[in-house]
Amino acid sequence: MIIGDDRERVIANIKRATETGDLNAKVEVGDPVLSLQERKDLVNAFWQEQQSLKGKLNNKVGHTFFNTLARVLTASTTFTGLDNLSDLPRGGAIITTNHFNQIDSLPIKRLANKTHHHLTIAIEDTNLKLPGILSYLMNYVGTIPLVQSTSYISDDFPKHLHHALAQDDWVLIYPEQEMWWNYRKPRTLQRGAYYFAAKQNVPIISTFIEIQTLPKLEKDHPHFEQTKYIVHVLPPIYPDTSVSANIDSKRMLKQDYQQKVAAYENAYQRKLDYTFTPWDIAGWRNK
């Protein structure tokens, strides 16, 4: 699904995934499909272009455009828990949130701007081949593509991540991995973000985005209402260098999941239950 197409098919896939308990399943349709070698070649070309004059110029344009999109498209977004960042040491950090939209990085970009941090985003490699403006954004707003190969994850990705963190960037990593369109509930988390935080000795900035429906239909989708976001900033999670990164990453993951669940239950005033209901999909009128 690219922004708005095939929503009912995606929702059906979400329902099926919850029924099988696979909360990290790929549910999107129409995403680019590439072989491992094609993905490696794509990412190699991406990094080469980042160093070229054309790439640097496009990055300037892309960052300006990204800031404008964040300001315009999330104008109604509100933030809670900003005081949780008051004691956060200056420097790089990994920020985590729930993944429910192709542009759900925009509220996090707003948060980074509020705190005068540059935002870098870890993305799936195939996102570089999304159509139209999404492809441009994936290539030129400050991203680190991730190739699911052992050598890239163990060598290349940590180097690019370290470079961003050394510049005091916040690096957005989606620990739910796959995007579930407008899905309100926090899902089980994968360990990568927390392992990298432990290895790089940087904190996790834990957030949860609440999706509220508005009493106004989307123009081109009569079965869906418009939505707005509330970004809940939760207590940061700090690494513990007295234990191994493997052990510490599990602790950090557990704490982040517990915080996201608590934020969900507080925001929506309901206990977390993965039994699927139409309410799970924000804005869906199910008619």
Side-chain angles (χ1 to χ4, degrees):
M1 179 178 72
I2 307 302
I3 299 297
D5 298 334
D6 294 317
R7 289 181 180 178
E8 283 79 6
R9 288 176 61 194
V10 170
I11 292 170
N13 289 341
I14 291 173
K15 181 176 185 294
R16 188 158 42 248
T18 61
E19 290 170 347
T20 61
D22 189 356
L23 299 177
N24 306 112
K26 187 173 185 63
V27 299
E28 288 296 300
V29 297
D31 283 354
V33 178
L34 302 173
S35 68
L36 177 58
Q37 188 57 53
E38 287 173 328
R39 288 185 276 125
K40 288 180 177 179
D41 293 342
L42 177 66
V43 171
N44 286 336
F46 166 84
W47 286 119
Q48 289 175 9
E49 178 154 358
Q50 296 304 301
Q51 301 304 316
S52 70
L53 177 60
K54 175 187 174 183
K56 292 176 180 178
L57 290 173
N58 272 316
N59 270 296
K60 289 184 179 295
V61 174
H63 279 90
T64 299
F65 185 44
F66 195 41
N67 277 315
T68 301
L69 284 178
R71 187 171 61 251
V72 173
L73 296 185
T74 64
S76 63
T77 297
T78 55
F79 300 84
T80 71
L82 291 174
D83 56 314
N84 283 317
L85 301 176
S86 59
D87 294 327
L88 190 73
R90 185 70 189 179
I94 290 175
I95 186 166
T96 65
T97 197
N98 41 321
H99 194 16
F100 56 86
N101 191 295
Q102 289 98 337
I103 55 174
D104 57 17
S105 60
L106 293 178
I108 302 301
K109 175 63 174 172
R110 283 276 306 282
L111 177 62
N113 288 349
K114 278 179 170 292
T115 55
H116 308 290
H117 280 85
H118 182 268
L119 184 68
T120 296
I121 308 168
I123 64 169
E124 186 177 359
D125 48 16
T126 53
N127 284 350
L128 297 171
K129 293 290 286 184
L130 291 173
I133 191 62
L134 286 177
S135 176
Y136 187 85
L137 290 173
M138 293 299 102
N139 278 272
Y140 300 117
V141 299
T143 57
I144 306 176
L146 181 60
V147 182
Q148 291 297 330
S149 77
T150 302
S151 60
Y152 188 88
I153 292 174
S154 61
D155 296 326
D156 297 282
F157 185 82
K159 291 176 184 176
H160 295 300
L161 177 62
H162 179 77
H163 177 73
L165 294 170
Q167 297 182 98
D168 296 344
D169 287 9
W170 284 0
V171 180
L172 173 59
I173 299 180
Y174 294 104
E176 295 175 342
Q177 291 190 340
E178 296 295 340
M179 185 192 89
W180 283 22
W181 187 80
N182 269 21
Y183 189 72
R184 284 183 158 124
K185 298 175 179 177
R187 293 181 280 131
T188 51
L189 310 177
Q190 301 299 297
R191 196 159 58 94
Y194 312 96
Y195 181 78
F196 290 126
K199 290 290 284 186
Q200 301 279 347
N201 194 27
V202 297
I204 293 286
I205 298 173
S206 173
T207 71
F208 176 74
I209 301 179
E210 175 187 351
I211 316 172
Q212 293 188 337
T213 57
L214 301 174
K216 185 177 182 180
L217 292 178
E218 291 192 16
K219 181 178 179 181
D220 298 321
H221 300 280
H223 298 313
F224 296 90
E225 294 171 314
Q226 296 181 18
T227 58
K228 64 165 289 186
Y229 308 133
I230 300 176
V231 178
H232 298 278
V233 181
L234 312 175
I237 304 168
Y238 295 94
D240 180 358
T241 57
S242 68
V243 298
S244 71
N246 185 51
I247 292 173
D248 201 30
S249 63
K250 294 175 182 178
R251 174 192 64 85
M252 298 171 85
L253 181 154
K254 182 179 180 181
Q255 182 176 339
D256 197 18
Y257 179 71
Q258 290 174 339
Q259 290 185 177
K260 285 173 166 53
V261 170
Y264 163 85
E265 292 181 343
N266 184 62
Y268 295 113
Q269 291 296 295
R270 59 175 69 198
K271 296 293 290 183
L272 179 63
D273 178 350
Y274 289 118
T275 302
F276 183 85
T277 69
W279 176 89
D280 296 348
I281 309 301
W284 185 34
R285 303 186 78 188
N286 192 28
K287 294 180 180 179

